[in-house]
Each structure stands twice: as C-alpha cells, then as structure tokens.
Amino acid sequence: LPEAAVPGITDTLMRFNADLLDVQRRFLRIIAMGIGCHESFFDGMLGHGAPLARAIHYPPIAQAPRDQHVWAGAHGDINLITALPRASAPGLQVQTEAGWVDAVAPDGLAIINTGIMLEHLTNGVIPVGVHRGVASPGQQGDRYSVVQFCHPTPWTILTPVASCITPERPQRFEAISAADRLDTVLWEINLVEAGKRVGS
C-alpha cells in the first residue's frame, strides 16, 4: 500500500475493505433466507475467503484506439456478489430483459451485483448480473471505480441447494469446488496462461 505517498491510506483502505465485507455478509444473509436456508448459510464460506477490492481507472474515451465508447464489455463476475459504491462518473450498465439500463448507486450506498458462484449455488434461481462499462457519447474525462468482489473459500463445494431444485427447475450444475469453478471460468475466457487455447 502506498503509505509513503498517501499517509493514512493503509488504515483507510483496510477499514473500507472491512466495511464493504460487512455489507456483503449482511446481504448474503438476506439471500440465504430468501432461498430457504438458515441466515448463516454463507457465513462459513467467507471466513477464509478472498474479498478482493479493486480500484479501476477508465481513461478518457478520447484516448481510445478507435471510435467506440465501451470501457468494459458485457460480463459476469466470478464470485458470490460484488459491491460497487458510487463511481466518479456514470458508466455502469446492467443487462435486463428490456435491454441495458444505467445503474448509478445513490450517494452513500452501493450497488450489489450477483456473480457466477451464486448462480451455481442457487441453481440459476439468482442469475448472474451481467454488466458492462460504457461512456455516454461525448462523455469527457476519466472514470474511477472501486469495487469489492466477495469470494467464498477456495475449498467451498458449490452444490445447488435443495430448495432451488424442483421438477420445474431440475439441477443444472454439478458439485465443484470454488477454486475449480474459478479456474474453469478463467479457462473459458482464455485467461489461464498455461492453458491458452490455439488461435487465441
């Protein structure tokens, strides 16, 4: 951490991480009860998980190599949930049945986005929140965003919970460890360096 350049930043960022994780833990308790589990269902998964806070800089569109305004293409996060406090400028869009909609967190609040591992655990009852980063036509300046990804422990076995499996919604996903699910998605999107696919 750049403590020498920004005195006090270490304490600020560690408190930021802890506070966001507390929000995520409480949100997951609501989800647990919503899918028929005990409120503490996700708690054990987070004890030695890897909450990852990431600061993202989106440069001005004027610096783009071509005439487009997509900062980050459509994707889903490889985790349980992601917390997105308000960014320095608009740009987050979420995919809905009606198309792409702008998503802006109110001051002092955060957007919670659902991830691939939560979809796996809920047998698709809670789908992945597909999102992207775009600049409005003519938008000027940089965009800064800080997000926190909430991951379960790598040894968590992701098995669809019984309450999310019905005759109308048969089990879609096999049991797999969180670490293997992460590796699978990284391979699918061609980010495993040792397993780069031909032609990439």
Side-chain angles (χ1 to χ4, degrees):
L1 294 169
E3 186 67 28
V6 186
I9 193 65
T10 300
D11 180 61
T12 298
L13 290 179
M14 296 305 285
R15 282 189 291 110
F16 175 81
N17 176 272
D19 289 348
L20 273 188
L21 183 58
D22 180 60
V23 169
Q24 291 171 310
R25 181 180 292 108
R26 288 186 284 132
F27 197 84
L28 284 169
R29 287 184 171 187
I30 294 169
I31 291 174
M33 292 187 293
I35 61 174
C37 296
H38 189 274
E39 68 173 13
S40 64
F41 177 72
F42 292 101
D43 288 5
M45 301 180 196
L46 307 183
H48 299 282
L52 173 64
R54 182 179 177 201
I56 307 170
H57 171 227
Y58 300 95
I61 292 304
Q63 296 178 11
R66 53 191 179 280
D67 185 20
Q68 64 167 328
H69 62 277
V70 176
W71 275 313
H75 66 282
D77 296 334
I78 320 169
N79 59 354
L80 293 170
I81 56 175
T82 304
L84 301 97
R86 190 182 185 105
S88 65
L92 177 65
Q93 290 188 334
V94 177
Q95 191 175 42
T96 69
E97 292 181 359
W100 291 100
V101 298
D102 293 329
V104 179
D107 286 336
L109 302 178
I111 291 169
I112 300 292
N113 203 15
T114 54
I116 290 171
M117 293 185 187
L118 184 63
E119 179 185 52
H120 195 112
L121 279 167
T122 64
N123 198 39
V125 169
I126 300 177
V128 175
V130 177
H131 55 288
R132 66 182 183 181
V134 299
S136 302
Q139 183 170 327
Q140 302 295 315
D142 303 56
R143 180 176 185 265
Y144 295 91
S145 173
V146 177
V147 301
Q148 181 153 299
F149 303 98
C150 183
H151 289 270
T153 58
W155 53 85
T156 295
I157 302 301
L158 303 173
T159 303
V161 298
S163 60
C164 295
I165 302 171
T166 65
E168 298 75 28
R169 186 184 290 274
Q171 184 171 339
R172 283 177 53 195
F173 304 106
E174 77 286 3
I176 188 172
S177 72
D180 287 342
R181 189 69 181 99
L182 174 62
D183 286 345
T184 299
V185 176
L186 292 176
W187 184 86
E188 289 171 348
I189 61 177
N190 212 28
L191 286 181
V192 179
E193 193 60 38
K196 290 283 188 180
R197 297 192 294 284
V198 174
S200 62

